[in-house]
Amino acid sequence: MKITRSSHNQIKIQNAIFYLLFCSFIVALGYLSYHYKFSADWTFASRNTLTENTQKLLTSLDKPLKFIAYVPDEPMLHEELSKLVNKYKRFKPDTHIEFVNPDLEPAKAKNAGINYAGQIAIHLGKKSEVIEATDEQTIASTLQRLSRTKDRFIVFLEGHKERDLFSQQSTGLSTLANVLKKQGYKIQPHNLIRSKSIPDNTDILVIASPQADLLDGELKIIQEYVKKGGKLLWLHDPDSSDSLNPLADQLGIIIHDGIIVEQQQVPGVESAAAIPVIDYSRSPITKNIETLTLFPFTTMIEEDFDAKMKDDVNWQYDAFLNSLPSSWLEVGDKMEGDITFDPDQDDIQGPIPLAISLKKPLNTDNNEKAGEQRIIIIGDSDFMVNAFIGYG
């Protein structure tokens, strides 16, 4: 093809127009990148992007968000945690991260409730909570708790030789109380003789293994609380008072006499009455538990299939903790010397249910749904005391 002077000039004009448009595009791109922020996640399953629910939660928070990572001075670890926090900063600009070496600043770590390196304290305004996992669900759940404007009260029944909520002795519950406080809950011991009622703002009533009998009037108050939809956590040791048996009848459960023993003891645990649990139901209570849990000196709790009242109450039952098949319920006072399974003495072969949850829908006066009533009964309280909490 022969290039004439006219076609040569046309090519020059086309090139000039191209370079002018290209430069204009670069300038426009620079302007837009300076004034507008855009990012996209091209990773598999968008693993670097927060879910829509977490994004909405972050944008709803009206207080500064701060992550304090109590970790060693390792640059790569700091970089990875900074990348993690930046995902949250995209949707909440006043999000920051701080690093503290707990080995160099042990007093600061202790005051923050840090037990070992690797834990992270999340601060939302003046509230804080310590977490051990950095997955999105854990952080989102923590932020939801910290953002609550309404106080949540956990009321512990007292006056009957229950587990002492604030005792720092091995049999006390002070470690548990501190954990609940750090999670934003209000803890309140409560004596029914003094008050003659359960506070209206009670979110959960805890009955922690009373050793002395409740009075009939106290029992009626608790039964009325349950009847009206109150939530309950009931811990019943083998030697607990049986004055709450009418409450068990009301709930349609059976609390057996005896102690569960395990034929194949856990390595390093001398007592046959320390029951290992590795099989869990699909309950939301245990969905994140993937390891061994231990329950020392526990008894059998099960649904009363013959309870006539169940026809009138829409409870859903779930035995969410069960012992191993090698265990059995040892009935009677035979916890000395060689212990063997004896069906003639009414011993019950495992697996044994040692905890049961109950739930049913709650309705308003207009027969509209108003959430769920939830109740948990566990045949042990030792697993929560200072001496055992955290084991398994």
Side-chain angles (χ1 to χ4, degrees):
M1 177 179 178
K2 185 177 181 180
I3 300 178
T4 64
R5 180 180 294 275
S6 175
S7 61
H8 182 73
N9 290 335
Q10 287 181 354
I11 292 173
K12 291 174 64 178
I13 293 173
Q14 290 175 354
N15 289 338
I17 293 174
F18 169 78
Y19 286 118
L20 179 62
L21 291 174
F22 179 75
C23 290
S24 299
F25 174 76
I26 294 299
V27 172
L29 187 63
Y31 174 83
L32 292 173
S33 65
Y34 179 79
H35 289 279
Y36 301 96
K37 301 293 183 183
F38 172 77
S39 61
D41 184 7
W42 298 93
T43 58
F44 178 73
S46 300
R47 63 178 178 271
N48 288 329
T49 301
L50 300 175
T51 62
E52 184 177 353
N53 287 337
T54 301
Q55 294 175 26
K56 290 180 180 178
L57 173 61
L58 289 168
T59 56
S60 70
L61 302 177
D62 58 356
K63 295 180 178 62
L65 176 58
K66 187 176 184 179
F67 294 78
I68 302 181
Y70 292 83
V71 295
D73 296 329
E74 298 179 6
M76 292 185 62
L77 177 59
H78 287 200
E79 183 181 355
E80 288 300 316
L81 290 174
S82 296
K83 288 180 180 179
L84 170 72
V85 172
N86 284 337
K87 293 197 299 182
Y88 294 83
K89 193 171 185 176
R90 284 178 54 196
F91 303 97
K92 185 170 174 55
D94 57 347
T95 299
H96 305 281
I97 185 169
E98 176 184 333
F99 297 98
V100 175
N101 188 331
D103 295 328
L104 301 180
E105 300 184 69
K108 186 173 183 179
K110 183 178 180 181
N111 291 335
I114 300 300
N115 295 318
Y116 49 83
Q119 293 181 306
I120 297 176
I122 298 181
H123 294 254
L124 184 65
K126 296 182 179 180
K127 295 182 178 181
S128 66
E129 183 175 331
V130 176
I131 62 172
E132 300 180 1
T134 57
D135 59 281
E136 182 179 343
Q137 181 60 51
T138 297
I139 294 176
S141 298
T142 303
L143 292 177
Q144 285 180 332
R145 289 193 293 270
L146 294 175
S147 63
R148 289 175 182 145
T149 57
K150 177 180 174 290
D151 288 332
R152 314 246 355 232
F153 282 91
I154 302 180
V155 173
F156 283 73
L157 187 68
E158 68 172 5
H160 318 89
K161 298 181 181 179
E162 293 90 350
R163 296 292 188 183
D164 191 329
L165 182 58
F166 301 114
S167 172
Q168 296 183 359
Q169 296 182 359
S170 61
T171 57
L173 298 176
S174 60
T175 303
L176 173 65
N178 290 334
V179 170
L180 293 173
K181 286 180 180 178
K182 288 173 185 176
Q183 292 185 353
Y185 293 97
K186 300 294 184 181
I187 310 299
Q188 178 180 324
H190 191 72
N191 192 310
L192 290 178
I193 298 296
R194 183 179 296 112
S195 65
K196 298 179 175 58
S197 65
I198 296 174
D200 293 336
N201 60 351
T202 299
D203 287 287
I204 306 169
L205 174 65
V206 180
I207 304 176
S209 185
Q211 302 301 300
D213 290 348
L214 279 72
L215 299 178
D216 290 343
E218 295 177 291
L219 177 60
K220 289 179 181 179
I221 292 172
I222 296 173
Q223 288 182 299
E224 188 63 22
Y225 165 81
V226 170
K227 185 178 180 180
K228 291 182 177 179
K231 296 179 175 66
L232 173 67
L233 171 61
W234 178 8
L235 309 175
H236 183 97
D237 287 324
D239 58 352
S240 296
S241 167
D242 59 4
S243 60
L244 285 168
N245 284 349
L247 178 61
D249 295 337
Q250 178 182 351
L251 297 175
I253 63 167
I254 298 175
I255 301 177
H256 288 259
D257 293 326
I259 297 176
I260 304 175
V261 295
E262 173 58 52
Q263 182 177 0
Q264 301 175 0
Q265 297 179 21
V266 179
V269 179
E270 295 182 0
S271 175
I275 303 305
V277 174
I278 59 175
D279 297 322
Y280 308 97
S281 75
R282 301 180 66 181
S283 167
I285 302 170
T286 54
K287 68 177 181 180
N288 293 324
I289 300 179
E290 299 177 353
T291 186
L292 167 78
T293 52
L294 284 174
F295 296 84
F297 301 100
T298 182
T299 192
M300 179 177 178
I301 310 286
E302 69 172 339
E303 177 183 357
D304 185 359
F305 295 95
D306 297 327
K308 296 180 180 179
M309 52 81 66
K310 284 182 59 180
D311 295 334
D312 304 321
V313 179
N314 190 27
W315 288 115
Q316 294 182 36
Y317 297 83
D318 180 19
F320 65 95
L321 295 176
N322 293 276
S323 66
L324 296 172
S326 53
S327 67
W328 71 87
L329 181 69
E330 183 75 17
V331 179
D333 302 325
K334 301 180 296 181
M335 293 299 293
E336 295 181 359
D338 293 333
I339 304 171
T340 58
F341 175 71
D342 187 354
D344 294 333
Q345 297 295 325
D346 297 324
D347 291 351
I348 301 176
Q349 183 64 54
I352 304 293
L354 52 109
I356 190 169
S357 67
L358 292 70
K359 68 177 182 178
K360 69 175 179 178
L362 292 173
N363 297 321
T364 63
D365 294 336
N366 298 327
N367 207 29
E368 297 178 353
K369 288 186 177 180
E372 283 185 335
Q373 181 181 10
R374 300 172 186 174
I375 291 177
I376 293 176
I377 305 98
I378 303 177
D380 180 37
S381 70
D382 293 291
F383 74 100
M384 282 189 174
V385 302
N386 297 333
F388 293 110
I389 193 168
Y391 281 81

